[in-house]
Amino acid sequence: MHITKKILLLCLLLLAGSAWADLHLSLTQGVRGATPIAVQDFDGADQDSKLISSVLRRDLNNSGRFAAEQFGEQATQAQLRSSKMTYAVSGAVNCIADSCTVHVVLDSLYSSQGASLLDLNYTANKSDLTSLTHTIGDAVYKQLTGHRGIFNTRIAYVVVQNTSKLPSYNLVVADYDGANPHILLHSLWPIMSPAWSPDGSSVAYVSFEGNRSAIYLQDLATGSRQKLLAAPGINAAPAFSPDGSQIALVESVSGNPKIYLYSLNIYHLTKVLLKS
């Protein structure tokens, strides 16, 4: 989740305007010498196969590590090599009603061993094909780089809307690329500093409801939220420990702002350490 936290620091957006706007992330520069990889059209129903191949191609390109190109499902390895591709992803999708099975194969086009690098099977609801494709992208990325992918992670950010004399604030969560945005909280009070729990199940943030800063924890699945801290003065910058058992934050209850570390246990805070 540390990569996601870095992204969050870049995504505290103040977007003025009278209409809701999706967040779009655009990759402008990648790794020099990005590895060419062919993403072939998946065999199966046109709409479902095109969705998987297009999302997978976009994920790999967004990483900056790969230059993914589209090829037809009938393209041979000789044809892909002649197009200077190094790897190829192919597969098939079969959907019966709302249930889909997806077969994915990753091949090295210059391997003498003959075995595929990945040969995976998945099942998912049709409505979850985009999320499943992010999972496939993560598997391909890890196989070829040795590092965990971020395609199936999410970002949190704040949108400010000037729809009247007073602005309103939306705390939004979305896929890593800004797709599928969901408003977690709508408020007339400022919201700032969203921070993910390590398991991705909740978000901590600062809200200024009643003109007083307080730190809240909100569950993504249920939408329920709990006020964690509303001490006099500043309450700011929540950040979770890697195991999620503690949360660090800034308080000024003693006068000057200081960093405190709290033990977090079922939405109950216990102060355990003070750092000057």
Side-chain angles (χ1 to χ4, degrees), residues 38 45 104-105 139 194 222 254:
V104 182
V105 177
T222 65
S254 61

Side-chain angles (χ1 to χ4, degrees), residues 144-216:
L144 297 182
T145 68
H147 300 289
R148 177 178 175 266
I150 65 166
F151 307 134
N152 219 7
T153 61
R154 288 177 290 178
I155 58 176
Y157 55 96
V158 177
V159 175
V160 181
Q161 293 181 285
N162 291 314
T163 56
S164 61
K165 293 182 179 180
L166 295 176
S168 62
Y169 301 82
N170 289 323
L171 175 60
V172 184
V173 295
D175 293 349
Y176 86 100
D177 56 359
N180 300 317
H182 169 69
I183 298 176
L184 189 62
L185 176 68
H186 176 77
S187 177
L188 297 178
W189 302 96
I191 304 168
M192 62 185 298
S193 303
W196 287 96
S197 64
D199 62 3
S201 65
S202 58
V203 174
Y205 55 88
V206 179
S207 176
F208 288 82
E209 296 165 37
N211 285 322
R212 182 175 179 178
S213 65
I215 294 176
Y216 290 83

Side-chain angles (χ1 to χ4, degrees), residues 22-260:
D22 289 345
L23 173 68
H24 297 282
L25 303 182
S26 178
L27 181 70
T28 59
Q29 184 175 351
V31 176
R32 179 177 296 178
T35 302
I37 183 169
V39 178
Q40 297 181 249
D41 295 334
F42 277 46
D43 183 27
D46 284 346
Q47 184 175 358
D48 300 324
S49 61
K50 287 180 179 178
L51 171 67
I52 292 176
S53 59
S54 64
V55 172
L56 181 57
R57 189 169 62 252
R58 184 175 71 246
D59 283 353
L60 294 173
N61 280 324
N62 281 347
S63 73
R65 299 292 298 271
F66 299 97
E69 296 188 24
Q70 179 181 4
F71 288 85
E73 62 182 274
Q74 302 300 327
T76 65
Q77 290 198 357
Q79 291 172 328
L80 298 177
R81 284 193 294 267
S82 68
S83 298
K84 303 187 183 302
M85 296 293 105
T86 303
Y87 300 99
V89 182
S90 59
V93 55
N94 180 36
C95 294
I96 300 177
D98 190 46
S99 179
C100 299
T101 59
V102 180
H103 180 216
V104 182
V105 177
L106 171 66
D107 288 311
S108 171
L109 299 177
Y110 295 94
S111 173
S112 60
Q113 298 180 356
S116 297
L117 299 176
L118 288 176
D119 192 331
L120 304 172
N121 291 286
Y122 299 91
T123 59
N125 292 330
K126 183 175 289 192
S127 59
D128 296 329
L129 282 180
T130 297
S131 177
L132 174 60
T133 306
H134 292 325
T135 299
I136 295 169
D138 284 341
V140 171
Y141 186 88
K142 185 173 184 179
Q143 178 65 34
L144 297 182
T145 68
H147 300 289
R148 177 178 175 266
I150 65 166
F151 307 134
N152 219 7
T153 61
R154 288 177 290 178
I155 58 176
Y157 55 96
V158 177
V159 175
V160 181
Q161 293 181 285
N162 291 314
T163 56
S164 61
K165 293 182 179 180
L166 295 176
S168 62
Y169 301 82
N170 289 323
L171 175 60
V172 184
V173 295
D175 293 349
Y176 86 100
D177 56 359
N180 300 317
H182 169 69
I183 298 176
L184 189 62
L185 176 68
H186 176 77
S187 177
L188 297 178
W189 302 96
I191 304 168
M192 62 185 298
S193 303
W196 287 96
S197 64
D199 62 3
S201 65
S202 58
V203 174
Y205 55 88
V206 179
S207 176
F208 288 82
E209 296 165 37
N211 285 322
R212 182 175 179 178
S213 65
I215 294 176
Y216 290 83
L217 183 67
Q218 188 151 349
D219 184 87
L220 268 67
T222 65
S224 62
R225 67 177 188 148
Q226 179 77 21
K227 184 187 292 185
L228 294 181
L229 189 68
I234 296 173
N235 301 282
F240 289 90
S241 64
D243 64 359
S245 66
Q246 296 176 316
I247 186 168
L249 47 87
V250 174
E251 268 188 69
S252 64
V253 66
S254 61
N256 296 324
K258 295 181 179 180
I259 300 174
Y260 291 85

